[in-house]
Amino acid sequence: MRKIAPKEPPFLPYGQQLIEEDDIAAVAQVLRGDWLTTGPAVAAFEQALCGVTEAKHAIACANGTAALHLAALALDLEPGDRVVVPSVTFLATANAVRLAGGEVVFADCEADSGLMEAPQLAEALARAAAAPGRPVKAVVPVHLTGQCADLPALAALAAEHGTTLVDDAAHAIGSRYREAGGSDRPIGDGRLSAMTTFSFHPVKTIAMGEGGAVTTNDDHLARRLQRLRNHGMAREPLEMQNRDLAFDADGSVNPWYYEMAEVGLNYRVTDIQCALGLSQMKKLERFTSQRRRLADRYDRAIAALDPLVRPIARSAASRPAWHIYPLLIDFDAAGISRAQVMKQLSAAGIGSQVHYIPVHLQPYYRQRYGALDLPGAQAYYARTLSLPLFAAMDEEDVDRAVAALSQVLGHTQP
Ligand SMILES: *Cc1c(COP(=O)(O)O)cnc(C)c1O
């Protein structure tokens, strides 16, 4: 008789894509076709994103960082213009401001949710007003974990201060925010923000390999973003400035002619990536409801570890499509460091990650702006640890992750 070895459960990373046969077939079909870039799959993906977000325009680009950079460039910052960015975010949110010539004003966050809410934005705006410098041109809330902050309150505050609101929704494709009237609207719908940026990196809810997008309802911003994505090149006859070069004697536009009125980049995205993104986007509802089911299971399972372990605070203004599942852990009370917890979890087959090291602590920003005291960000950072969350997981995986955490924290014996 053949002996069957007990099957080791696979290692659970903190996040991972779910690629299925139809995704592979969609990519293969593009590879057999005529267009590898700037073709029909890009347009179809942009249209699908408009469908999901209910925005008027979607501009797909190389990645989420490129999306943030394009949005920052479209703000037309003068050197030294200031932009408020929460400190608890990925580096790219702040870096985009610097790459566009602006200066970052780091905002604090709520200690239990990691979100920049209206009080933290107000504090950052007041701090900026008290310091000499150029005006605050924009504010960039981040929908951390897939939860959104109170977007109507942030938008009202931004408008009151004459600043533009751009939101970083890298975590929040499929999430919904609560309107002032109480109904839900999709993140990225362009009603309260001038531009919303997305990422489709494999750990995010929809995977494109690398990919990003900006949504907007503003026709002018949409044209700018399209142009900036492609070297600043324009082909619209109405926009031509060099009339003598642009037109033939009969007044028709010369077929080879293009014009550049501002400097841009190559941030285009391929049809290969967009075919994958489009195929994945059709599964958004299934992916987000599975993530929601897993998050609910986590909520119930970790209740046994209270008060050592707590869920992050829930925003009342949001119906999140969870991107990550962070916990707040009192490592001091547990008598074990976060590094030890991560190492022991990993040894037990459970991946984990820290989202995020507050960006104001990075040497580059510390050197530029000096030491900042953002107590909410620091309190959030001190306790946060994200456990595995991705659509291919099932509820048993959640139980396995929580059991391992419980054991590592000494709450239960092996
Ligand atoms: C992932 C991420 C980005 C950057 O997206 P990329 O596609 O990796 O360039 C920006 N902001 C936040 C909050 C992110 O999580």
Side-chain angles (χ1 to χ4, degrees), residues 198-233:
F198 293 93
S199 164
F200 306 107
H201 180 277
V203 297
K204 310 284 160 75
T205 300
I206 294 293
M208 279 171 69
E210 297 281 355
V214 186
T215 60
T216 181
N217 285 351
D218 184 310
D219 299 344
H220 177 69
L221 282 173
R223 285 291 310 122
R224 288 288 308 285
L225 292 163
Q226 284 159 352
R227 232 179 285 150
L228 288 164
R229 171 180 64 177
N230 191 28
H231 309 282
M233 272 168 67

PDB file of all heavy atoms in Angstrom, residues 198-233:
ATOM      1  N   PHE A 198      -5.520  54.778  -9.342  1.00  0.00           N
ATOM      2  CA  PHE A 198      -5.638  53.350  -9.005  1.00  0.00           C
ATOM      3  C   PHE A 198      -4.334  52.630  -9.346  1.00  0.00           C
ATOM      4  O   PHE A 198      -3.566  53.091 -10.196  1.00  0.00           O
ATOM      5  CB  PHE A 198      -6.771  52.703  -9.815  1.00  0.00           C
ATOM      6  CG  PHE A 198      -8.144  53.213  -9.455  1.00  0.00           C
ATOM      7  CD1 PHE A 198      -8.711  54.268 -10.166  1.00  0.00           C
ATOM      8  CD2 PHE A 198      -8.853  52.656  -8.409  1.00  0.00           C
ATOM      9  CE1 PHE A 198      -9.973  54.761  -9.831  1.00  0.00           C
ATOM     10  CE2 PHE A 198     -10.114  53.132  -8.072  1.00  0.00           C
ATOM     11  CZ  PHE A 198     -10.678  54.187  -8.784  1.00  0.00           C
ATOM     12  N   SER A 199      -4.135  51.485  -8.673  1.00  0.00           N
ATOM     13  CA  SER A 199      -3.013  50.604  -9.001  1.00  0.00           C
ATOM     14  C   SER A 199      -3.553  49.201  -9.250  1.00  0.00           C
ATOM     15  O   SER A 199      -4.479  48.760  -8.560  1.00  0.00           O
ATOM     16  CB  SER A 199      -2.013  50.552  -7.840  1.00  0.00           C
ATOM     17  OG  SER A 199      -1.143  49.434  -8.003  1.00  0.00           O
ATOM     18  N   PHE A 200      -2.962  48.517 -10.203  1.00  0.00           N
ATOM     19  CA  PHE A 200      -3.351  47.134 -10.493  1.00  0.00           C
ATOM     20  C   PHE A 200      -2.149  46.206 -10.401  1.00  0.00           C
ATOM     21  O   PHE A 200      -1.982  45.272 -11.184  1.00  0.00           O
ATOM     22  CB  PHE A 200      -4.066  47.071 -11.859  1.00  0.00           C
ATOM     23  CG  PHE A 200      -5.225  48.044 -11.931  1.00  0.00           C
ATOM     24  CD1 PHE A 200      -5.144  49.206 -12.694  1.00  0.00           C
ATOM     25  CD2 PHE A 200      -6.377  47.823 -11.178  1.00  0.00           C
ATOM     26  CE1 PHE A 200      -6.190  50.119 -12.728  1.00  0.00           C
ATOM     27  CE2 PHE A 200      -7.435  48.740 -11.203  1.00  0.00           C
ATOM     28  CZ  PHE A 200      -7.342  49.888 -11.984  1.00  0.00           C
ATOM     29  N   HIS A 201      -1.284  46.519  -9.429  1.00  0.00           N
ATOM     30  CA  HIS A 201      -0.165  45.650  -9.057  1.00  0.00           C
ATOM     31  C   HIS A 201      -0.748  44.313  -8.547  1.00  0.00           C
ATOM     32  O   HIS A 201      -1.843  44.304  -7.986  1.00  0.00           O
ATOM     33  CB  HIS A 201       0.646  46.358  -7.957  1.00  0.00           C
ATOM     34  CG  HIS A 201       1.831  45.586  -7.481  1.00  0.00           C
ATOM     35  ND1 HIS A 201       1.740  44.599  -6.525  1.00  0.00           N
ATOM     36  CD2 HIS A 201       3.137  45.647  -7.833  1.00  0.00           C
ATOM     37  CE1 HIS A 201       2.936  44.082  -6.315  1.00  0.00           C
ATOM     38  NE2 HIS A 201       3.800  44.699  -7.097  1.00  0.00           N
ATOM     39  N   PRO A 202      -0.027  43.209  -8.724  1.00  0.00           N
ATOM     40  CA  PRO A 202      -0.594  41.896  -8.357  1.00  0.00           C
ATOM     41  C   PRO A 202      -1.117  41.764  -6.923  1.00  0.00           C
ATOM     42  O   PRO A 202      -2.017  40.958  -6.682  1.00  0.00           O
ATOM     43  CB  PRO A 202       0.576  40.942  -8.596  1.00  0.00           C
ATOM     44  CG  PRO A 202       1.396  41.609  -9.638  1.00  0.00           C
ATOM     45  CD  PRO A 202       1.259  43.081  -9.419  1.00  0.00           C
ATOM     46  N   VAL A 203      -0.583  42.491  -5.962  1.00  0.00           N
ATOM     47  CA  VAL A 203      -1.151  42.336  -4.611  1.00  0.00           C
ATOM     48  C   VAL A 203      -2.455  43.119  -4.439  1.00  0.00           C
ATOM     49  O   VAL A 203      -3.194  42.885  -3.497  1.00  0.00           O
ATOM     50  CB  VAL A 203      -0.194  42.733  -3.451  1.00  0.00           C
ATOM     51  CG1 VAL A 203       1.020  41.845  -3.430  1.00  0.00           C
ATOM     52  CG2 VAL A 203       0.143  44.193  -3.461  1.00  0.00           C
ATOM     53  N   LYS A 204      -2.738  44.020  -5.357  1.00  0.00           N
ATOM     54  CA  LYS A 204      -3.988  44.794  -5.257  1.00  0.00           C
ATOM     55  C   LYS A 204      -5.165  43.904  -5.693  1.00  0.00           C
ATOM     56  O   LYS A 204      -4.977  42.780  -6.139  1.00  0.00           O
ATOM     57  CB  LYS A 204      -3.890  46.077  -6.092  1.00  0.00           C
ATOM     58  CG  LYS A 204      -2.615  46.897  -5.827  1.00  0.00           C
ATOM     59  CD  LYS A 204      -2.669  47.672  -4.514  1.00  0.00           C
ATOM     60  CE  LYS A 204      -1.300  48.097  -3.996  1.00  0.00           C
ATOM     61  NZ  LYS A 204      -0.638  49.194  -4.638  1.00  0.00           N
ATOM     62  N   THR A 205      -6.359  44.420  -5.614  1.00  0.00           N
ATOM     63  CA  THR A 205      -7.541  43.565  -5.831  1.00  0.00           C
ATOM     64  C   THR A 205      -7.651  43.055  -7.267  1.00  0.00           C
ATOM     65  O   THR A 205      -8.093  41.939  -7.516  1.00  0.00           O
ATOM     66  CB  THR A 205      -8.808  44.330  -5.418  1.00  0.00           C
ATOM     67  OG1 THR A 205      -8.670  44.655  -4.024  1.00  0.00           O
ATOM     68  CG2 THR A 205     -10.076  43.520  -5.619  1.00  0.00           C
ATOM     69  N   ILE A 206      -7.249  43.876  -8.237  1.00  0.00           N
ATOM     70  CA  ILE A 206      -7.244  43.510  -9.658  1.00  0.00           C
ATOM     71  C   ILE A 206      -5.788  43.531 -10.134  1.00  0.00           C
ATOM     72  O   ILE A 206      -5.093  44.518  -9.912  1.00  0.00           O
ATOM     73  CB  ILE A 206      -8.046  44.567 -10.472  1.00  0.00           C
ATOM     74  CG1 ILE A 206      -9.527  44.536 -10.098  1.00  0.00           C
ATOM     75  CG2 ILE A 206      -7.843  44.403 -11.975  1.00  0.00           C
ATOM     76  CD1 ILE A 206     -10.239  43.281 -10.509  1.00  0.00           C
ATOM     77  N   ALA A 207      -5.352  42.462 -10.781  1.00  0.00           N
ATOM     78  CA  ALA A 207      -3.946  42.351 -11.189  1.00  0.00           C
ATOM     79  C   ALA A 207      -3.769  42.578 -12.688  1.00  0.00           C
ATOM     80  O   ALA A 207      -4.526  42.039 -13.499  1.00  0.00           O
ATOM     81  CB  ALA A 207      -3.403  40.973 -10.825  1.00  0.00           C
ATOM     82  N   MET A 208      -2.767  43.392 -13.039  1.00  0.00           N
ATOM     83  CA  MET A 208      -2.391  43.577 -14.453  1.00  0.00           C
ATOM     84  C   MET A 208      -0.905  43.283 -14.654  1.00  0.00           C
ATOM     85  O   MET A 208      -0.363  43.590 -15.705  1.00  0.00           O
ATOM     86  CB  MET A 208      -2.659  45.027 -14.885  1.00  0.00           C
ATOM     87  CG  MET A 208      -4.111  45.306 -15.235  1.00  0.00           C
ATOM     88  SD  MET A 208      -4.440  47.060 -15.487  1.00  0.00           S
ATOM     89  CE  MET A 208      -3.568  47.407 -17.016  1.00  0.00           C
ATOM     90  N   GLY A 209      -0.240  42.751 -13.665  1.00  0.00           N
ATOM     91  CA  GLY A 209       1.229  42.650 -13.690  1.00  0.00           C
ATOM     92  C   GLY A 209       1.779  43.948 -13.139  1.00  0.00           C
ATOM     93  O   GLY A 209       2.169  44.045 -11.989  1.00  0.00           O
ATOM     94  N   GLU A 210       1.816  44.954 -13.978  1.00  0.00           N
ATOM     95  CA  GLU A 210       1.948  46.345 -13.553  1.00  0.00           C
ATOM     96  C   GLU A 210       0.821  47.089 -14.249  1.00  0.00           C
ATOM     97  O   GLU A 210       0.491  46.781 -15.397  1.00  0.00           O
ATOM     98  CB  GLU A 210       3.284  46.967 -13.964  1.00  0.00           C
ATOM     99  CG  GLU A 210       4.523  46.325 -13.356  1.00  0.00           C
ATOM    100  CD  GLU A 210       4.790  46.756 -11.913  1.00  0.00           C
ATOM    101  OE1 GLU A 210       4.067  47.636 -11.391  1.00  0.00           O
ATOM    102  OE2 GLU A 210       5.708  46.178 -11.304  1.00  0.00           O
ATOM    103  N   GLY A 211       0.244  48.055 -13.596  1.00  0.00           N
ATOM    104  CA  GLY A 211      -0.822  48.820 -14.241  1.00  0.00           C
ATOM    105  C   GLY A 211      -1.397  49.845 -13.293  1.00  0.00           C
ATOM    106  O   GLY A 211      -1.322  49.697 -12.070  1.00  0.00           O
ATOM    107  N   GLY A 212      -1.935  50.893 -13.873  1.00  0.00           N
ATOM    108  CA  GLY A 212      -2.550  51.942 -13.069  1.00  0.00           C
ATOM    109  C   GLY A 212      -3.538  52.720 -13.914  1.00  0.00           C
ATOM    110  O   GLY A 212      -3.675  52.451 -15.118  1.00  0.00           O
ATOM    111  N   ALA A 213      -4.224  53.655 -13.293  1.00  0.00           N
ATOM    112  CA  ALA A 213      -5.182  54.477 -14.030  1.00  0.00           C
ATOM    113  C   ALA A 213      -5.540  55.703 -13.207  1.00  0.00           C
ATOM    114  O   ALA A 213      -5.375  55.719 -11.981  1.00  0.00           O
ATOM    115  CB  ALA A 213      -6.452  53.693 -14.353  1.00  0.00           C
ATOM    116  N   VAL A 214      -6.016  56.719 -13.932  1.00  0.00           N
ATOM    117  CA  VAL A 214      -6.591  57.903 -13.294  1.00  0.00           C
ATOM    118  C   VAL A 214      -8.009  58.031 -13.825  1.00  0.00           C
ATOM    119  O   VAL A 214      -8.227  57.900 -15.038  1.00  0.00           O
ATOM    120  CB  VAL A 214      -5.810  59.191 -13.654  1.00  0.00           C
ATOM    121  CG1 VAL A 214      -6.334  60.379 -12.851  1.00  0.00           C
ATOM    122  CG2 VAL A 214      -4.314  59.012 -13.442  1.00  0.00           C
ATOM    123  N   THR A 215      -8.977  58.287 -12.934  1.00  0.00           N
ATOM    124  CA  THR A 215     -10.323  58.610 -13.399  1.00  0.00           C
ATOM    125  C   THR A 215     -10.617  60.076 -13.107  1.00  0.00           C
ATOM    126  O   THR A 215     -10.102  60.641 -12.136  1.00  0.00           O
ATOM    127  CB  THR A 215     -11.407  57.725 -12.744  1.00  0.00           C
ATOM    128  OG1 THR A 215     -11.364  57.905 -11.326  1.00  0.00           O
ATOM    129  CG2 THR A 215     -11.222  56.263 -13.093  1.00  0.00           C
ATOM    130  N   THR A 216     -11.437  60.686 -13.958  1.00  0.00           N
ATOM    131  CA  THR A 216     -11.824  62.092 -13.772  1.00  0.00           C
ATOM    132  C   THR A 216     -13.114  62.365 -14.546  1.00  0.00           C
ATOM    133  O   THR A 216     -13.397  61.681 -15.535  1.00  0.00           O
ATOM    134  CB  THR A 216     -10.703  63.051 -14.242  1.00  0.00           C
ATOM    135  OG1 THR A 216     -11.116  64.403 -14.017  1.00  0.00           O
ATOM    136  CG2 THR A 216     -10.387  62.883 -15.725  1.00  0.00           C
ATOM    137  N   ASN A 217     -13.846  63.339 -14.104  1.00  0.00           N
ATOM    138  CA  ASN A 217     -15.027  63.792 -14.857  1.00  0.00           C
ATOM    139  C   ASN A 217     -14.732  65.052 -15.656  1.00  0.00           C
ATOM    140  O   ASN A 217     -15.625  65.572 -16.327  1.00  0.00           O
ATOM    141  CB  ASN A 217     -16.193  64.079 -13.890  1.00  0.00           C
ATOM    142  CG  ASN A 217     -16.818  62.792 -13.381  1.00  0.00           C
ATOM    143  OD1 ASN A 217     -16.503  61.715 -13.869  1.00  0.00           O
ATOM    144  ND2 ASN A 217     -17.696  62.914 -12.401  1.00  0.00           N
ATOM    145  N   ASP A 218     -13.508  65.545 -15.558  1.00  0.00           N
ATOM    146  CA  ASP A 218     -13.136  66.828 -16.159  1.00  0.00           C
ATOM    147  C   ASP A 218     -12.524  66.573 -17.545  1.00  0.00           C
ATOM    148  O   ASP A 218     -11.470  65.947 -17.662  1.00  0.00           O
ATOM    149  CB  ASP A 218     -12.134  67.514 -15.216  1.00  0.00           C
ATOM    150  CG  ASP A 218     -11.742  68.899 -15.696  1.00  0.00           C
ATOM    151  OD1 ASP A 218     -11.375  69.043 -16.881  1.00  0.00           O
ATOM    152  OD2 ASP A 218     -11.775  69.836 -14.878  1.00  0.00           O
ATOM    153  N   ASP A 219     -13.177  67.063 -18.600  1.00  0.00           N
ATOM    154  CA  ASP A 219     -12.709  66.819 -19.978  1.00  0.00           C
ATOM    155  C   ASP A 219     -11.298  67.353 -20.195  1.00  0.00           C
ATOM    156  O   ASP A 219     -10.464  66.718 -20.837  1.00  0.00           O
ATOM    157  CB  ASP A 219     -13.641  67.494 -20.997  1.00  0.00           C
ATOM    158  CG  ASP A 219     -15.062  66.959 -20.924  1.00  0.00           C
ATOM    159  OD1 ASP A 219     -15.268  65.882 -20.324  1.00  0.00           O
ATOM    160  OD2 ASP A 219     -15.976  67.633 -21.450  1.00  0.00           O
ATOM    161  N   HIS A 220     -11.042  68.533 -19.652  1.00  0.00           N
ATOM    162  CA  HIS A 220      -9.746  69.166 -19.845  1.00  0.00           C
ATOM    163  C   HIS A 220      -8.638  68.357 -19.153  1.00  0.00           C
ATOM    164  O   HIS A 220      -7.591  68.082 -19.749  1.00  0.00           O
ATOM    165  CB  HIS A 220      -9.793  70.603 -19.312  1.00  0.00           C
ATOM    166  CG  HIS A 220      -8.480  71.315 -19.410  1.00  0.00           C
ATOM    167  ND1 HIS A 220      -7.930  71.690 -20.616  1.00  0.00           N
ATOM    168  CD2 HIS A 220      -7.595  71.683 -18.450  1.00  0.00           C
ATOM    169  CE1 HIS A 220      -6.752  72.271 -20.388  1.00  0.00           C
ATOM    170  NE2 HIS A 220      -6.533  72.279 -19.088  1.00  0.00           N
ATOM    171  N   LEU A 221      -8.898  67.943 -17.899  1.00  0.00           N
ATOM    172  CA  LEU A 221      -7.898  67.123 -17.188  1.00  0.00           C
ATOM    173  C   LEU A 221      -7.667  65.799 -17.917  1.00  0.00           C
ATOM    174  O   LEU A 221      -6.532  65.323 -18.009  1.00  0.00           O
ATOM    175  CB  LEU A 221      -8.339  66.861 -15.745  1.00  0.00           C
ATOM    176  CG  LEU A 221      -8.145  67.991 -14.745  1.00  0.00           C
ATOM    177  CD1 LEU A 221      -8.783  67.634 -13.390  1.00  0.00           C
ATOM    178  CD2 LEU A 221      -6.666  68.320 -14.564  1.00  0.00           C
ATOM    179  N   ALA A 222      -8.731  65.220 -18.458  1.00  0.00           N
ATOM    180  CA  ALA A 222      -8.598  63.943 -19.171  1.00  0.00           C
ATOM    181  C   ALA A 222      -7.660  64.105 -20.370  1.00  0.00           C
ATOM    182  O   ALA A 222      -6.771  63.276 -20.597  1.00  0.00           O
ATOM    183  CB  ALA A 222      -9.967  63.444 -19.619  1.00  0.00           C
ATOM    184  N   ARG A 223      -7.826  65.175 -21.129  1.00  0.00           N
ATOM    185  CA  ARG A 223      -6.950  65.426 -22.283  1.00  0.00           C
ATOM    186  C   ARG A 223      -5.500  65.617 -21.824  1.00  0.00           C
ATOM    187  O   ARG A 223      -4.574  65.113 -22.445  1.00  0.00           O
ATOM    188  CB  ARG A 223      -7.400  66.692 -23.042  1.00  0.00           C
ATOM    189  CG  ARG A 223      -8.643  66.534 -23.889  1.00  0.00           C
ATOM    190  CD  ARG A 223      -8.437  65.633 -25.105  1.00  0.00           C
ATOM    191  NE  ARG A 223      -7.268  65.973 -25.898  1.00  0.00           N
ATOM    192  CZ  ARG A 223      -6.265  65.145 -26.153  1.00  0.00           C
ATOM    193  NH1 ARG A 223      -6.280  63.914 -25.696  1.00  0.00           N
ATOM    194  NH2 ARG A 223      -5.241  65.543 -26.874  1.00  0.00           N
ATOM    195  N   ARG A 224      -5.328  66.378 -20.750  1.00  0.00           N
ATOM    196  CA  ARG A 224      -3.966  66.602 -20.216  1.00  0.00           C
ATOM    197  C   ARG A 224      -3.312  65.276 -19.833  1.00  0.00           C
ATOM    198  O   ARG A 224      -2.144  65.028 -20.162  1.00  0.00           O
ATOM    199  CB  ARG A 224      -4.017  67.495 -18.949  1.00  0.00           C
ATOM    200  CG  ARG A 224      -4.343  68.948 -19.170  1.00  0.00           C
ATOM    201  CD  ARG A 224      -3.225  69.742 -19.811  1.00  0.00           C
ATOM    202  NE  ARG A 224      -1.916  69.647 -19.176  1.00  0.00           N
ATOM    203  CZ  ARG A 224      -1.559  70.249 -18.040  1.00  0.00           C
ATOM    204  NH1 ARG A 224      -2.416  71.003 -17.390  1.00  0.00           N
ATOM    205  NH2 ARG A 224      -0.351  70.122 -17.566  1.00  0.00           N
ATOM    206  N   LEU A 225      -4.065  64.436 -19.128  1.00  0.00           N
ATOM    207  CA  LEU A 225      -3.512  63.159 -18.657  1.00  0.00           C
ATOM    208  C   LEU A 225      -3.142  62.268 -19.832  1.00  0.00           C
ATOM    209  O   LEU A 225      -2.077  61.623 -19.835  1.00  0.00           O
ATOM    210  CB  LEU A 225      -4.526  62.453 -17.738  1.00  0.00           C
ATOM    211  CG  LEU A 225      -4.800  63.135 -16.396  1.00  0.00           C
ATOM    212  CD1 LEU A 225      -6.089  62.608 -15.773  1.00  0.00           C
ATOM    213  CD2 LEU A 225      -3.630  62.946 -15.431  1.00  0.00           C
ATOM    214  N   GLN A 226      -3.991  62.247 -20.867  1.00  0.00           N
ATOM    215  CA  GLN A 226      -3.699  61.433 -22.051  1.00  0.00           C
ATOM    216  C   GLN A 226      -2.427  61.922 -22.737  1.00  0.00           C
ATOM    217  O   GLN A 226      -1.597  61.138 -23.205  1.00  0.00           O
ATOM    218  CB  GLN A 226      -4.869  61.481 -23.028  1.00  0.00           C
ATOM    219  CG  GLN A 226      -6.051  60.630 -22.591  1.00  0.00           C
ATOM    220  CD  GLN A 226      -7.360  61.047 -23.238  1.00  0.00           C
ATOM    221  OE1 GLN A 226      -7.433  62.081 -23.910  1.00  0.00           O
ATOM    222  NE2 GLN A 226      -8.399  60.254 -23.013  1.00  0.00           N
ATOM    223  N   ARG A 227      -2.287  63.229 -22.799  1.00  0.00           N
ATOM    224  CA  ARG A 227      -1.129  63.822 -23.470  1.00  0.00           C
ATOM    225  C   ARG A 227       0.142  63.600 -22.652  1.00  0.00           C
ATOM    226  O   ARG A 227       1.178  63.218 -23.195  1.00  0.00           O
ATOM    227  CB  ARG A 227      -1.375  65.324 -23.635  1.00  0.00           C
ATOM    228  CG  ARG A 227      -1.174  65.800 -25.040  1.00  0.00           C
ATOM    229  CD  ARG A 227      -1.448  67.282 -25.139  1.00  0.00           C
ATOM    230  NE  ARG A 227      -2.864  67.562 -25.103  1.00  0.00           N
ATOM    231  CZ  ARG A 227      -3.399  68.685 -24.615  1.00  0.00           C
ATOM    232  NH1 ARG A 227      -2.638  69.626 -24.081  1.00  0.00           N
ATOM    233  NH2 ARG A 227      -4.682  68.874 -24.649  1.00  0.00           N
ATOM    234  N   LEU A 228       0.054  63.826 -21.335  1.00  0.00           N
ATOM    235  CA  LEU A 228       1.231  63.653 -20.478  1.00  0.00           C
ATOM    236  C   LEU A 228       1.706  62.196 -20.480  1.00  0.00           C
ATOM    237  O   LEU A 228       2.903  61.935 -20.340  1.00  0.00           O
ATOM    238  CB  LEU A 228       0.910  64.091 -19.045  1.00  0.00           C
ATOM    239  CG  LEU A 228       0.764  65.600 -18.836  1.00  0.00           C
ATOM    240  CD1 LEU A 228       0.059  65.905 -17.508  1.00  0.00           C
ATOM    241  CD2 LEU A 228       2.137  66.292 -18.878  1.00  0.00           C
ATOM    242  N   ARG A 229       0.767  61.262 -20.660  1.00  0.00           N
ATOM    243  CA  ARG A 229       1.096  59.838 -20.717  1.00  0.00           C
ATOM    244  C   ARG A 229       1.929  59.514 -21.962  1.00  0.00           C
ATOM    245  O   ARG A 229       2.615  58.508 -22.025  1.00  0.00           O
ATOM    246  CB  ARG A 229      -0.220  59.039 -20.736  1.00  0.00           C
ATOM    247  CG  ARG A 229      -0.093  57.564 -21.006  1.00  0.00           C
ATOM    248  CD  ARG A 229      -1.446  56.876 -20.999  1.00  0.00           C
ATOM    249  NE  ARG A 229      -2.354  57.314 -22.057  1.00  0.00           N
ATOM    250  CZ  ARG A 229      -3.567  56.806 -22.269  1.00  0.00           C
ATOM    251  NH1 ARG A 229      -4.027  55.854 -21.470  1.00  0.00           N
ATOM    252  NH2 ARG A 229      -4.337  57.251 -23.234  1.00  0.00           N
ATOM    253  N   ASN A 230       1.826  60.366 -22.989  1.00  0.00           N
ATOM    254  CA  ASN A 230       2.427  60.080 -24.284  1.00  0.00           C
ATOM    255  C   ASN A 230       3.287  61.257 -24.761  1.00  0.00           C
ATOM    256  O   ASN A 230       3.021  61.858 -25.792  1.00  0.00           O
ATOM    257  CB  ASN A 230       1.313  59.747 -25.288  1.00  0.00           C
ATOM    258  CG  ASN A 230       1.838  59.172 -26.581  1.00  0.00           C
ATOM    259  OD1 ASN A 230       2.902  58.552 -26.600  1.00  0.00           O
ATOM    260  ND2 ASN A 230       1.105  59.399 -27.656  1.00  0.00           N
ATOM    261  N   HIS A 231       4.324  61.605 -23.948  1.00  0.00           N
ATOM    262  CA  HIS A 231       5.347  62.593 -24.339  1.00  0.00           C
ATOM    263  C   HIS A 231       4.822  64.023 -24.467  1.00  0.00           C
ATOM    264  O   HIS A 231       5.551  64.900 -24.926  1.00  0.00           O
ATOM    265  CB  HIS A 231       6.020  62.194 -25.666  1.00  0.00           C
ATOM    266  CG  HIS A 231       6.521  60.796 -25.680  1.00  0.00           C
ATOM    267  ND1 HIS A 231       7.691  60.420 -25.061  1.00  0.00           N
ATOM    268  CD2 HIS A 231       5.986  59.660 -26.195  1.00  0.00           C
ATOM    269  CE1 HIS A 231       7.869  59.119 -25.215  1.00  0.00           C
ATOM    270  NE2 HIS A 231       6.850  58.638 -25.890  1.00  0.00           N
ATOM    271  N   GLY A 232       3.552  64.269 -24.147  1.00  0.00           N
ATOM    272  CA  GLY A 232       2.982  65.598 -24.374  1.00  0.00           C
ATOM    273  C   GLY A 232       2.517  65.792 -25.806  1.00  0.00           C
ATOM    274  O   GLY A 232       2.210  66.915 -26.217  1.00  0.00           O
ATOM    275  N   MET A 233       2.464  64.682 -26.576  1.00  0.00           N
ATOM    276  CA  MET A 233       2.095  64.765 -27.996  1.00  0.00           C
ATOM    277  C   MET A 233       0.602  64.995 -28.184  1.00  0.00           C
ATOM    278  O   MET A 233      -0.222  64.377 -27.517  1.00  0.00           O
ATOM    279  CB  MET A 233       2.448  63.448 -28.708  1.00  0.00           C
ATOM    280  CG  MET A 233       3.853  63.396 -29.237  1.00  0.00           C
ATOM    281  SD  MET A 233       4.295  61.720 -29.749  1.00  0.00           S
ATOM    282  CE  MET A 233       3.209  61.490 -31.139  1.00  0.00           C
TER     283      MET A 233
END
